[in-house]
Amino acid sequence: MSDFLRLVGERLRMIRKLKGYTQDQLAEKTGKVGMSKSHISDIERGQRNISLTTLETLMNALDIDPSELFNFQKLDGVDGIHEKKLIIDIHKSMLMERGLDEVQYIVRTASDFLVRC
């Protein structure tokens, strides 16, 4: 399973829940034949590699734009994401948006913290 698929799936799940939709309701809202609760569940768990068309359909049904979907910073404090690699990937995506000086500062701070532990 791809970490990226898991990140996107988790973000879709969060947004769906924030909007108050069940998986069945979201599937209905897409209006797409073949989009079932189990299909949505597979996507949210990162178990299904979807097309960009399907992703666009889900974003339209949730009334969100790509910048909201791909803002993985909002995943950081979510219960249920305790897997070390996924947390590291989230932080990596956050650091990629920062300048070199900021990244170096974070690395130095993290190194100092780890040396003290």
Side-chain angles (χ1 to χ4, degrees):
M1 157 178 28
S2 160
D3 289 330
F4 181 70
L5 291 177
R6 289 174 52 202
L7 286 169
V8 170
E10 182 63 26
R11 190 74 182 113
L12 285 167
R13 183 187 67 79
M14 281 182 57
I15 294 168
R16 175 184 57 77
K17 286 185 170 191
L18 285 172
K19 300 237 178 203
Y21 297 130
T22 65
Q23 290 175 337
D24 282 325
Q25 289 169 326
L26 179 57
E28 267 182 43
K29 195 164 170 42
T30 65
K32 186 175 178 182
V33 175
M35 184 77 72
S36 65
K37 176 184 175 183
S38 70
H39 192 108
I40 300 281
S41 177
D42 288 348
I43 293 167
E44 289 180 356
R45 289 181 289 116
Q47 298 291 317
R48 186 177 292 252
N49 189 5
I50 59 174
S51 69
L52 290 175
T53 302
T54 299
L55 187 60
E56 182 180 34
T57 299
L58 288 167
M59 289 189 317
N60 288 336
L62 290 167
D63 193 29
I64 59 170
D65 58 39
S67 65
E68 187 174 353
L69 176 64
F70 294 109
N71 185 355
F72 299 125
Q73 294 177 24
K74 294 183 179 180
L75 284 174
D76 194 27
V78 175
D79 292 337
I81 300 181
H82 299 292
E83 295 177 32
K84 188 176 185 179
K85 187 166 179 9
L86 188 55
I87 293 170
I88 290 169
D89 287 343
I90 291 167
H91 283 91
K92 180 181 174 184
S93 74
M94 290 168 48
L95 289 172
M96 292 303 290
E97 297 175 4
R98 299 299 189 166
L100 181 58
D101 290 344
E102 292 172 306
V103 172
Q104 289 172 334
Y105 173 77
I106 295 296
V107 169
R108 279 193 310 272
T109 303
S111 295
D112 290 346
F113 173 79
L114 293 172
V115 167
R116 290 185 203 145
C117 292

